[in-house]
Amino acid sequence: HVLNHESIQSAEQLTISEQALVQGLERVQWPARFQWLREWRLIIDGSHNVQGFDALSEALESCFPAHQIVWLM
């Protein structure tokens, strides 16, 4: 999505409660972003740049510190 001056001004006028924000974040689904496929014991992630890969690496190390990580790219 492209942000332009009008969309930024519109967003600044919105008031969203903290509760609504938390509920929205709890319900969001983002396929292929740190997605756990339980039946295969596999996590998939669609990182496509250095920043995304770095974030994935940090998340895996944080969530699974005692496990060996196998990367398939």
Side-chain angles (χ1 to χ4, degrees):
H1 297 254
V2 176
L3 288 179
N4 58 31
H5 183 69
E6 291 80 22
S7 62
I8 292 171
Q9 283 181 328
S10 296
E12 290 173 346
Q13 295 173 7
L14 295 175
T15 56
I16 301 172
S17 72
E18 184 176 339
Q19 179 182 5
L21 180 62
V22 169
Q23 287 177 345
L25 290 174
E26 287 175 343
R27 293 179 184 163
V28 72
Q29 293 184 6
W30 203 343
R33 286 294 187 188
F34 208 80
Q35 183 176 358
W36 173 242
L37 302 178
R38 184 171 303 190
E39 63 276 9
W40 295 342
R41 294 182 44 148
L42 176 70
I43 295 172
I44 61 172
D45 190 277
S47 298
H48 59 277
N49 58 31
V50 173
Q51 295 84 1
F53 188 78
D54 287 344
L56 173 61
S57 180
E58 290 176 19
L60 288 170
E61 290 173 7
S62 174
C63 292
F64 306 101
H67 292 79
Q68 178 184 8
I69 305 298
V70 177
W71 295 93
L72 177 64
M73 300 198 286

